[in-house]
Amino acid sequence: MEKKLTVKFQKLLGSPVFPPGAFIEGLKFERREGDVAHRRGTLFSLITLSGSKDFDGPVFGRALFDTLEEEYFSDSNSPPLSCLEKAAFSAHRRLIGMTLSAHLSQSVDFNLILAVLWGQVLYLCRLGSAAVYLLRDGKVSEVNLGDEALVSCASGFVYSGDTLI
């Protein structure tokens, strides 16, 4: 599918000070060569984690990003939405495994947003309570991704000038 839109990925930079046990990061992953690059596009991801004071959020967060990237780009034959959903479930399973291995006494709050723009179609997946908003023609509206307790996925057309928040 020929790509007709351009993407500007922007992050607020600085030296955020998170309370102990918290982590938030947005990353962009892309493959530049071969069939995978053509069939998968660029993966945009946002993870938030929150646990007890002894929870090492950055270590868990980096491991989850590794899982997302590996899972999403591992299968170049499945549709992007299917691969996003598999990646979200894999990250969730990895988090559960890591928390069990670390013998954490309290639960970890996990929120995940995944997005891929492929041609003029935007694919989204969410796990947790994070919200996604679309700014179009000066109006902001929340993208309905369904029940926050499950991995929720959606796709739709985007147009020049749309902004995803």
Side-chain angles (χ1 to χ4, degrees):
M1 175 177 273
E2 183 180 331
K3 295 186 180 201
K4 298 177 182 175
L5 300 174
T6 59
V7 175
K8 295 178 185 175
F9 178 68
Q10 297 177 326
K11 291 172 45 173
L12 297 175
L13 298 177
S15 299
V17 178
F18 297 113
F23 173 81
I24 183 170
E25 181 72 39
L27 289 180
K28 172 174 98 169
F29 302 99
E30 62 187 321
R31 302 286 166 93
R32 297 194 182 273
E33 66 281 329
D35 192 43
V36 174
H38 176 71
R39 293 176 153 263
R40 286 290 153 258
T42 302
L43 172 65
F44 300 92
S45 57
L46 174 69
I47 290 177
T48 67
L49 296 167
S50 180
S52 63
K53 290 189 304 184
D54 58 337
F55 173 67
D56 193 348
V59 168
F60 278 64
R62 283 190 290 276
L64 296 178
F65 279 128
D66 289 346
T67 299
L68 289 169
E69 180 182 24
E70 181 180 314
E71 183 67 37
Y72 179 72
F73 289 106
S74 68
D75 179 3
S76 64
N77 293 319
S78 296
L81 194 59
S82 173
C83 290
L84 277 181
E85 186 174 29
K86 287 179 193 175
F89 277 117
S90 292
H92 188 243
R93 282 191 303 274
R94 175 110 190 245
L95 176 64
I96 290 170
M98 290 176 68
T99 56
L100 291 173
S101 295
H103 304 291
L104 295 177
S105 59
Q106 295 180 338
S107 65
V108 175
D109 185 34
F110 175 45
N111 294 293
L112 171 68
I113 295 288
L114 299 174
V116 170
L117 178 65
W118 196 50
Q120 287 188 288
V121 179
L122 178 69
Y123 298 94
L124 292 171
C125 272
R126 177 191 69 193
L127 176 64
S129 60
V132 178
Y133 297 91
L134 178 67
L135 173 62
R136 178 179 285 161
D137 298 327
K139 296 178 184 176
V140 177
S141 58
E142 184 172 356
V143 177
N144 184 0
L145 288 170
D147 187 355
E148 66 188 52
L150 306 170
V151 172
S152 304
C153 299
S155 64
F157 286 101
V158 290
Y159 304 97
S160 182
D162 284 354
T163 301
L164 189 70
I165 305 165

